[in-house]
Amino acid sequence: MQLIGLLGGMSWQSSAEYYRLLNELVQDRQEGLHSARCLLYSVDFASIEAMQMEGRWDDAAEALAAAAKVLEDAGADFIVLCTNTMHKVADQIQAAIGVPLLHLADTTATVVKEHRVRRVGLLGTRFTMTQEFYRDRLASHGLEVLVPEGDDRQVVHEIIYNELCQGIVRPESRARYREIIRRLVDAGAEGIIYGCTEIELLVDQTDSSVPVFPTTRLHCEAAADRAMGAGRVRRPRLP
């Protein structure tokens, strides 16, 4: 089994989900006492979040590239960046290392297309929903991407940072997300991408009338497949 390098801490809540899911997937495939071979480099999210809010993306890229290099030097065969938003600097991270970076948007788009969905609603931080780095990557796979309207975008973003990243899961917030998902479906979305790792702590398939694509789980499915070899690849399972 290849050694997975997990670049996390953004937030640690989502990194814990990555670790849990990877080990569940490996144990499911190999049974018994098997678990994932992985390394975790967890950054201090407060410093990264400050760079996000101040638009210091080059500084963030430098910090995450250095962390990825530590994972590579420690023996990681490939890197998994445990955050959607920071894929904004994925190209800079990849350029700094000599092992592959398993891109989250690519793994998600592959599964969306397998389910014959072409128009998707995207939920995530305001950076993920409004900036080109993520939407264009999905569009390069032939997907049409819809995002919530302005007020709804703000609600989605604030719940992520003020609640989910801090381990707070409120039924009232779940109800607001369900309303936003419904409006995206009414606007023509054939599926919903949960494009922030923490969103899966709040909502799941039962909160949407159309298929949902939980990016953390799908990223972990792809990582487990890669680590265990092409001969063991399975079609990712939606919850």
Side-chain angles (χ1 to χ4, degrees), residues 20-31:
R20 179 183 66 82
L21 286 167
L22 277 171
N23 282 287
E24 287 181 353
L25 290 164
V26 170
Q27 186 175 51
D28 178 58
R29 287 166 164 85
Q30 293 191 333
E31 300 179 346

Side-chain angles (χ1 to χ4, degrees), residues 56-173:
R56 295 162 48 213
W57 296 104
D58 288 342
D59 291 342
E62 183 177 351
L64 296 187
K69 191 68 172 64
V70 171
L71 290 170
E72 179 185 19
D73 291 344
D77 292 296
F78 64 95
I79 305 297
V80 172
L81 181 56
C82 304
T83 162
N84 284 265
T85 296
M86 295 316 297
H87 274 72
K88 180 176 174 69
V89 298
D91 290 344
Q92 294 96 311
I93 295 172
Q94 181 64 84
I97 56 178
V99 295
L101 175 71
L102 188 62
H103 201 290
L104 192 154
D106 292 341
T107 61
T108 299
T110 297
V111 179
V112 172
K113 291 171 65 177
E114 286 177 353
H115 286 77
R116 298 180 181 178
V117 170
R118 287 293 178 270
R119 183 181 295 115
V120 290
L122 173 63
L123 300 180
T125 68
R126 75 164 180 266
F127 310 109
T128 299
M129 290 187 289
T130 62
Q131 296 185 13
E132 296 177 350
F133 73 94
Y134 201 91
R135 295 170 60 179
D136 284 1
R137 190 84 176 207
L138 295 172
S140 73
H141 291 270
L143 301 180
E144 180 183 348
V145 182
L146 307 178
V147 297
E149 297 295 330
D151 289 346
D152 284 349
R153 284 201 304 270
Q154 189 63 23
V155 168
V156 171
H157 178 87
E158 289 181 353
I159 287 173
I160 290 169
Y161 278 87
N162 297 337
E163 298 177 21
L164 301 179
C165 284
Q166 300 178 50
I168 300 169
V169 179
R170 301 171 63 237
E172 300 94 324
S173 296

